[in-house]
């Protein structure tokens, strides 16, 4: 029987917050569409206290940001970007264009065509999250996107040097110091100075995620990547310190980041809760982490591993850290998650910052129907066909003609009939199905 030692916010309270977010975002996007750059500037001043005539950074500003970083900072960014680029290239190499002759004279195929314009959001209001530049800009670059623009909010009153460096080093074509709904709206809708994009990618707060959701259809989006979620699945093979550390490591995103311990050991559960309380007294980012833990934190004790995996799949969390005596069993049997972190030697921070897999992952149960950001999100698999012989044109045409008439589409049927007449020599009456011939 499942036992909850700690529960999170009531679903009704969360829904009320979501409604408020939806309303704010809807009104803000309408304002950006109506007034363009003027609205964007007013919003930037209002929310980020950041005002300038042109939010695109100049080459001089980009070089100045690079100059503010140490040689070791640059080296560390280069290392992280190399890992992300390498894994993205492996993903790209898994895509193959296809062309096959399915019957004599009939050629079918598909090509993997890059999206032409990508907008990459890099969150940075509370923390300068430069890793999001690697994950979005670099991945789009490997996919072959010709134009990549990127936005990040100012940090402490100016563009965050580390973010700007990462955006530039990843290969962004345009870098804007813009955050929040105004950045998402400007990239998707376009303004007098910003050409719109075809797809929006990148994580963000609840307002950013909701803006992407509302704009989906007008532009493509990677996925619903809202506030961070982390689930730690553990048994008695690990201790409270590592469990509490992994929970708070993601809770510090705060203040609305769910963090859950799921375990078969009530002893470990209670010890972890005590360890969380201890660490919150010394963690420099406890101001954010405490709110997340107190409001959205959960501790769940299950009877066995089968029950744990059932609960984990129902939660469908973004990050799932597995530390048990059967980590590979979870890898084999879990189906709803953003990314798995298997065993105590790795952790979510590795995936967030440096190991090479992408950290833009589905939240709010979106893992039920999508994985995270990857090269494939920037590629369109587009099919094509051609017929190279008269015989094939007539043969396919006769079948097509009759099937169209079966559906009542005489205009469709005529598209086939005109070719049966020209290439097959059949005198097909107008708007009727072609007669079969012996094969």
């Amino acid at each position: 029987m499942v036992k909850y030692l700690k529960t999170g916010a009531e679903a009704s309270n969360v829904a009320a917050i979501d409604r408020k977010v939806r309303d704010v975002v809807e009104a803000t996007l309408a304002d950006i569409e109506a007034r363009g750059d003027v609205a964007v500037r007013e919003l930037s001043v209002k929310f980020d206290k950041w005002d300038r005539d042109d939010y695109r950074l100049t080459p001089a500003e980009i070089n100045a940001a690079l100059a503010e970083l140490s040689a070791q900072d640059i080296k560390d960014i280069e290392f992280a970007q190399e890992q992300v680029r390498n894994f993205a290239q492996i993903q790209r190499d898994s895509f193959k264009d296809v062309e096959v002759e399915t019957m004599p004279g009939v050629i079918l195929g598909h090509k993997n065509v890059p999206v032409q314009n990508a907008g990459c959001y890099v969150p940075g209001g509370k923390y300068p999250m430069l890793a999001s530049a690697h994950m979005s800009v670099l991945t789009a670059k490997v996919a072959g996107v010709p134009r990549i623009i990127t936005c990040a909010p100012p940090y402490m009153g100016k563009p965050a040097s580390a973010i700007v460096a990462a955006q530039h080093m990843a290969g962004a074509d345009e870098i804007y110091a813009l955050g929040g709904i105004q950045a998402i709206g400007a990239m998707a809708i376009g303004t007098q100075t910003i050409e719109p994009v075809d797809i929006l990618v990148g994580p963000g707060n609840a307002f950013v995620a909701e803006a992407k959701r509302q704009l989906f259809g007008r532009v493509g989006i990677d996925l619903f990547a809202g506030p961070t979620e982390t689930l730690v699945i553990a048994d008695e093979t690990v201790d409270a310190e590592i469990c509490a550390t992994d929970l708070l490591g993601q809770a510090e995103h705060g203040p609305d980041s769910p963090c859950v311990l799921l375990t078969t050991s009530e002893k470990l559960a209670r010890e972890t809760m005590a360890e969380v309380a201890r660490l919150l007294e010394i963690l420099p980012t406890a101001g954010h982490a405490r709110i997340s833990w107190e409001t959205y934190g959960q501790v769940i004790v299950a009877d066995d591993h089968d029950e744990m995996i059932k609960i984990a799949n129902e939660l469908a969390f973004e990050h799932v850290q597995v530390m048990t005596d059967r980590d590979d069993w979870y890898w084999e049997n879990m189906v709803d998650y953003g990314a798995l972190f298997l065993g105590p030697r790795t952790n979510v921070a590795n995936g967030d910052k440096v190991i090479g897999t992408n950290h833009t992952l589905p939240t709010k149960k979106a893992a039920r129907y999508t994985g995270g950001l990857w090269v494939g999100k920037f590629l369109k698999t587009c099919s094509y066909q051609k017929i190279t012989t008269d015989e094939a044109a007539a043969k396919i045409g006769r079948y097509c003609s009759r099937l169209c008439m079966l559906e009542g589409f005489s205009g469709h049927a005529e598209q086939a009939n005109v070719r049966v007449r020209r290439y097959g020599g059949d005198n097909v009456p107008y708007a009727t199905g072609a007669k079969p011939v012996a094969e």
Side-chain angles (χ1 to χ4, degrees), residues 231 233 305-306 308-318 320 322 327-340 342 362 365-372:
L231 170 64
I233 299 175
H305 288 279
D306 287 329
M308 284 212 292
I309 204 167
K310 180 176 182 292
I311 294 168
N313 281 325
E314 289 171 353
L315 289 170
F317 262 28
E318 176 189 18
V320 180
V322 182
D327 300 338
D328 286 345
W329 179 80
Y330 280 89
W331 170 73
E332 291 167 355
N333 291 283
M334 276 200 70
V335 292
D336 294 325
Y337 59 89
L340 285 177
L342 298 166
K365 293 185 178 288
R368 293 171 299 133
Y369 56 81
T370 186

Side-chain angles (χ1 to χ4, degrees), residues 167-207:
Q167 290 168 319
H168 175 70
M169 292 164 65
D173 299 296
E174 302 166 28
I175 300 174
Y176 295 87
L178 272 176
I181 307 170
Q182 59 270 27
I184 299 299
M187 287 193 288
I189 298 167
T191 72
Q192 293 87 345
T193 59
I194 301 175
E195 289 293 321
V197 299
D198 303 314
I199 187 170
L200 287 170
V201 303
N205 63 21
F207 292 93

Side-chain angles (χ1 to χ4, degrees), residues 216-279:
F216 177 59
R218 182 170 191 149
V219 294
I221 65 170
D222 48 358
L223 54 132
F224 194 91
T228 289
E229 304 164 343
T230 194
L231 170 64
V232 174
I233 299 175
D235 61 17
E236 60 281 352
T237 60
V238 290
D239 57 43
E241 180 190 27
I242 199 166
C243 292
T245 299
D246 285 345
L247 289 167
L248 293 180
Q250 295 303 303
E252 74 176 353
H253 278 282
D256 49 1
S257 300
C259 43
V260 177
L261 173 65
L262 176 58
T263 180
T264 51
S265 169
E266 184 168 342
K267 178 176 181 290
L268 176 63
R270 294 192 181 279
E271 289 176 351
T272 298
M273 292 170 69
E275 183 67 4
V276 166
R278 185 187 74 82
L279 291 176

Side-chain angles (χ1 to χ4, degrees), residues 115-123 132-133 135-138 140-141 145-152 167 172-176 178 183-189 194-203 208 212 215 219-223 360 373 377-378:
V115 172
Q116 296 300 289
N117 299 275
C120 303
Y121 186 74
V122 179
S132 290
M135 305 298 173
S136 58
V137 177
L138 257 180
K141 205 75 178 176
V145 177
R147 174 177 173 253
I148 304 168
I149 77 172
T150 177
C151 289
Q167 290 168 319
D173 299 296
E174 302 166 28
I175 300 174
Y176 295 87
L178 272 176
I184 299 299
M187 287 193 288
I189 298 167
I194 301 175
E195 289 293 321
V197 299
D198 303 314
I199 187 170
L200 287 170
V201 303
V208 167
K212 286 169 64 182
L215 289 162
V219 294
I221 65 170
D222 48 358
L223 54 132
T360 303
L373 180 61
K377 293 287 186 179
F378 298 102

